[in-house]
Amino acid sequence: MVHQTFRCTLEVEQLPPLSAAHNKTDGMADRRPLLLLTRPQAASEAFWAALPRETRENAECLINPLMSIHVTGPLPSLDGVTGLIFTSANGLHAYKALGGANLDLPAIAVGEGTAKAVRSFGFDTDVAGGTADQLVQHILDRGYPGGLLHVRGEVAIGDVARRLSENGVPTAEAILYQQKLEPFSERTREALSQDRHILAPVFSPRTAQQLGRESDGATHIRFAAISRAVADALPDAVADRVRIAKMPNRDGMVQLVSEMISDDLTLERRQRDL
């Protein structure tokens, strides 16, 4: 698996990876905060691109996915399905990989990040508030009929299909992919050994648990959690280094990460001026 480090520019995807996780500027080690992104490669690149230009210019980005996605299928028959539920862009990608068509059905996305992928495929997309609880309530409030299908991975939270079915909206599940945990690369471990601010955004409890295991002992990492549930999945020992997004979605995480990068830069300048 390739783990990439990007310089902060507007077109990061077009740049080759750096030869090391700590590029040099005028002979000095890069003192900008390091943003450690641990989602799958495409999702990490999309999050990096969503950050404000100023944030990207004042940080360095290292992508080390801690979870890899493996499409398994099968795609079930969609006869009688009246709507699809997606709680991750990975579900949409697996659906496409298995030959799923752009049907004349509503697609309900858990949040705006997932909705972007679903819309790009052409579905008429309805967006919930960002969490499994908000998704279930959104579907109930909108009065969707039965016959929904939740497209998901082997590991999922929220019991969406069961809760909807118990509340009068019959919903089935299609498990189309597996999520396998991955370790830190040597490049990442080298980066963690440096004396610099490191910020790790976390988007799921399972990734939080793996990140906690892999970063054990790295006391200079701070964490940006998308929700309280994700924050609680991190080790108790790092609780004082965790901040939680005000909104449990990508916009909330973009705001939080931008604020934390700005705080790190301010602290670095103060320390340099002492």
Side-chain angles (χ1 to χ4, degrees):
M1 182 174 294
V2 178
H3 304 142
Q4 295 183 295
T5 311
F6 292 114
R7 293 182 187 274
C8 298
T9 69
L10 289 175
E11 301 297 334
V12 296
E13 293 85 353
Q14 298 178 9
L15 293 177
L18 301 182
S19 58
H22 56 297
N23 59 312
K24 304 286 185 176
T25 303
D26 297 329
M28 300 295 290
D30 194 339
R31 299 296 299 175
R32 294 173 300 168
L34 179 66
L35 187 61
L36 176 60
L37 300 179
T38 57
R39 303 181 84 187
Q41 188 76 29
S44 289
E45 291 180 7
F47 181 75
W48 171 253
L51 292 170
R53 176 177 179 175
E54 181 179 3
T55 300
R56 287 180 283 148
E57 288 178 343
N58 287 295
E60 190 182 11
C61 172
L62 174 60
I63 296 177
N64 186 156
L66 289 180
M67 186 179 295
S68 56
I69 305 301
H70 303 266
V71 177
T72 56
L75 184 67
S77 169
L78 300 181
D79 291 345
V81 172
T82 63
L84 299 173
I85 301 171
F86 293 97
T87 46
S88 167
N90 295 322
L92 187 278
H93 299 325
Y95 176 85
K96 290 168 59 178
L98 292 166
N102 175 13
L103 303 174
D104 185 21
L105 294 174
I108 310 153
V110 65
E112 190 55 50
T114 300
K116 183 176 180 181
V118 176
R119 283 195 198 99
S120 70
F121 191 57
F123 276 117
D124 179 14
T125 307
D126 186 13
V127 189
T131 69
D133 288 347
Q134 290 171 323
L135 172 67
V136 170
Q137 192 61 51
H138 179 84
I139 291 172
L140 295 176
D141 290 345
R142 290 294 182 94
Y144 279 97
L148 300 181
L149 179 68
H150 180 197
V151 176
R152 68 174 184 86
E154 187 176 55
V155 178
I157 62 174
D159 288 329
V160 171
R162 179 186 61 79
R163 291 166 63 188
L164 287 173
S165 296
E166 290 178 351
N167 281 279
V169 183
T171 303
E173 296 181 321
I175 299 175
L176 302 188
Y177 61 95
Q178 294 179 331
Q179 307 104 312
K180 295 184 179 180
L181 296 176
E182 303 287 349
F184 275 162
S185 68
E186 288 305 312
R187 167 181 276 185
T188 300
R189 296 194 183 283
E190 178 187 358
L192 296 185
S193 71
Q194 298 167 30
D195 181 19
R196 68 190 296 189
H197 295 291
I198 299 177
L199 172 60
V202 201
F203 293 82
S204 75
R206 195 164 181 234
T207 301
Q209 292 170 352
Q210 179 72 346
L211 180 58
R213 287 188 288 264
E214 290 294 304
S215 63
D216 184 35
T219 58
H220 55 305
I221 299 181
R222 294 196 302 149
F223 305 87
I226 194 170
S227 67
R228 168 56 61 185
V230 171
D232 289 344
L234 288 164
D236 292 340
V238 307
D240 61 343
R241 289 183 272 128
V242 180
R243 287 177 59 182
I244 301 173
K246 294 178 181 178
M247 301 178 290
N249 53 33
R250 189 171 73 173
D251 287 345
M253 286 293 280
V254 164
Q255 179 181 350
L256 176 57
V257 167
S258 298
E259 291 174 356
M260 294 178 75
I261 292 292
S262 178
D263 291 346
D264 284 344
L265 289 169
T266 299
L267 179 59
E268 175 68 24
R269 293 189 187 104
R270 289 175 179 171
Q271 292 175 339
R272 192 170 58 236
D273 292 341
L274 290 179

